[in-house]
Amino acid sequence: MLKKLTAPLAVGALILAGCGGTDPGGDGPSVSIEQPAEGDELTAPFTVVVESSEELGTTESGNHHVHLYFDGDDGTYEVIESGNGEEYEVSADSPVLEGLEPGEHTLNVSLRNADHSAAGAEDEVTVTIGDGTGGGGGDEDEDDGGGYGY
Amino acid sequence: MRTRTTAADTATEPVRRNSARARWLHAGVYATTLVLLGTGWWLTLGREGRPSLLAEATGRSDAEIHTGAGWALAAVAAGGALIGRRGLRSLLADSVRFAKGDMAWLRRWPAAAFTGRFAPHSGRFDPGQRIANVAMLVLLALLIASGVGLVLASGGTVFAWCNLIHRWSTYLLTPLILGHILIASGVLPGYRGVWRSMHLGGRLRRSDAERVWPEWTRRRR
């Protein structure tokens, strides 16, 4: 019984492994934060631009996506799944900003496979989260009302 | 000393419906499936990245919990199929069968769920249960297989297909499970007391068993 199952299972595993998200160039996938820059001061809503070697898309497409989070806390994150090098707006009610005190923080991005497992590429920049009166990290639609509205 | 047995005694006399092994397997399946449904719908409804109460309590993301619970369900299903293969065979045999009176039973079922006056049937499972058993087994198998495919593929075309199967199996299984919980909980008068068949020793009152599985109960005398 077990012998009968071994061959089809091995073939299936090989097919599935072959269809997995790997880097065709062999250098491994990459992701980088283009915006904001190191040391920028951000006030929600703000814009983030990431660049990746992989095509980004929804889970349904099977493409990679990017998790964005602060201070290494990858349990609370934004999902960037559309475009590559395009602007992505982090809104004031984003989960990543909940409980985040004004001050210096690390903005992390992690390239993820469609199943959310880490694809092995990360980047980070240090930014200052404003108290609602600071600059906007390149965003045109700044909120000058103070805080994040929660 | 002689003891007299009255009709009331007979009615409350317990009948064992399920073995300990079957109850443990059922508990393993529903514990993991409830976690999977909770985290799966949380992610599907666009809450990804916002930790659910379960994610906050465990310190893991909902996607990680979902994947872990998926492996646990796969292990429970594989272990159950291996250890309880005789039980599985009998579950399948007793579920994949059709009798002449099934349509009459199904026609009377919506009202009988409230009145308890079900049409007669002779099976270990009633016709509605048989349909639900087959549908749930097929959908759970599809969910486990497509879930394993999602993890193994990680991304790409195979992932996209597995994701499609996984989603649609979830859409179909969710109302079935909610209906199963509603019926099994005994909230509906026709199914009062049947929850005991899978809990606390698997024994239910003979009168409750006779109402839902009349022939099976008579065979248990």
Side-chain angles (χ1 to χ4, degrees):
Chain A
M1 171 80 172
L2 202 61
K3 276 181 185 171
K4 279 182 190 170
L5 285 173
T6 307
L9 281 175
V11 171
L14 278 172
I15 291 169
L16 288 169
C19 292
T22 53
D23 177 47
D27 297 320
S30 65
V31 67
S32 61
I33 302 169
E34 302 295 305
Q35 189 184 321
E38 184 78 19
D40 273 0
E41 186 171 330
L42 309 177
T43 303
F46 60 86
T47 300
V48 172
V49 179
V50 294
E51 191 68 49
S52 172
S53 59
E54 306 303 304
E55 192 178 344
L56 303 183
T58 60
T59 302
E60 289 76 22
S61 70
N63 288 342
H64 288 72
H65 61 267
V66 172
H67 285 190
L68 179 154
Y69 47 93
F70 279 99
D71 302 327
D73 175 16
D74 64 355
T76 305
Y77 52 90
E78 280 270 351
V79 180
I80 304 176
E81 55 186 14
S82 59
N84 195 354
E86 289 178 15
E87 292 186 345
Y88 178 84
E89 187 181 277
V90 177
S91 62
D93 64 351
S94 165
V96 297
L97 296 176
E98 275 179 28
L100 202 66
E101 296 293 327
E104 201 171 271
H105 294 277
T106 304
L107 173 64
N108 305 86
V109 293
S110 168
L111 184 67
R112 299 290 169 134
N113 296 308
D115 70 344
H116 304 288
S117 60
E122 296 180 351
D123 194 17
E124 62 178 50
V125 291
T126 304
V127 294
T128 301
I129 298 296
D131 59 4
T133 56
D139 191 65
E140 301 155 5
D141 191 16
E142 288 175 15
D143 175 8
D144 59 0
Y148 298 118
Y150 42 79
Chain B
M1 194 172 102
R2 285 175 61 187
T3 52
R4 274 172 52 191
T5 307
T6 64
D9 289 337
T10 311
T12 55
E13 176 194 321
V15 182
R16 199 175 86 152
R17 173 84 178 153
N18 289 296
S19 67
R21 193 179 277 179
R23 296 197 309 276
W24 276 109
L25 176 63
H26 181 257
V29 170
Y30 79 63
T32 48
T33 302
L34 288 178
V35 172
L36 287 163
L37 278 177
T39 50
W41 277 106
W42 184 266
L43 298 171
T44 301
L45 295 174
R47 307 291 293 172
E48 193 190 343
R50 289 179 192 272
S52 65
L53 287 175
L54 189 61
E56 275 178 10
T58 57
R60 317 286 299 197
S61 74
D62 288 287
E64 285 173 326
I65 295 171
H66 191 78
T67 306
W71 280 121
L73 175 62
V76 167
L82 202 67
I83 298 166
R85 50 189 179 278
R86 264 178 45 199
L88 181 65
R89 265 202 300 272
S90 103
L91 170 69
L92 287 170
D94 289 336
S95 297
V96 187
R97 60 191 288 273
F98 300 95
K100 250 188 191 170
D102 286 358
M103 285 313 291
W105 187 96
L106 288 167
R107 272 195 301 273
R108 267 173 67 174
W109 173 65
F114 293 93
T115 63
R117 288 194 286 273
F118 295 98
H121 71 90
S122 58
R124 176 184 163 204
F125 302 114
D126 66 47
Q129 249 184 318
R130 280 181 242 144
I131 294 170
N133 283 351
V134 172
M136 282 199 277
L137 283 173
V138 168
L139 290 169
L140 277 172
L142 280 173
L143 274 167
I144 292 170
S146 59
V148 170
L150 287 171
V151 175
L152 293 180
S154 288
T157 313
V158 171
F159 180 95
W161 274 105
C162 287
N163 184 59
L164 193 69
I165 295 166
H166 207 70
R167 263 174 196 276
W168 277 99
S169 302
T170 304
Y171 298 153
L172 296 172
L173 186 66
T174 301
L176 268 177
I177 286 183
L178 293 177
H180 177 69
I181 292 170
L182 177 71
I183 286 171
S185 68
V187 172
L188 298 172
Y191 291 100
R192 196 159 288 153
V194 296
W195 67 271
R196 291 174 190 273
S197 67
M198 268 300 178
H199 303 91
L200 306 178
R203 289 177 171 82
L204 74 163
R205 299 202 304 189
R206 183 168 285 275
S207 57
D208 291 331
E210 268 179 343
R211 190 183 342 113
V212 185
W213 307 287
E215 285 297 321
W216 176 85
T217 311
R218 267 169 227 137
R219 289 198 295 268
R220 303 288 293 182
R221 279 188 200 283

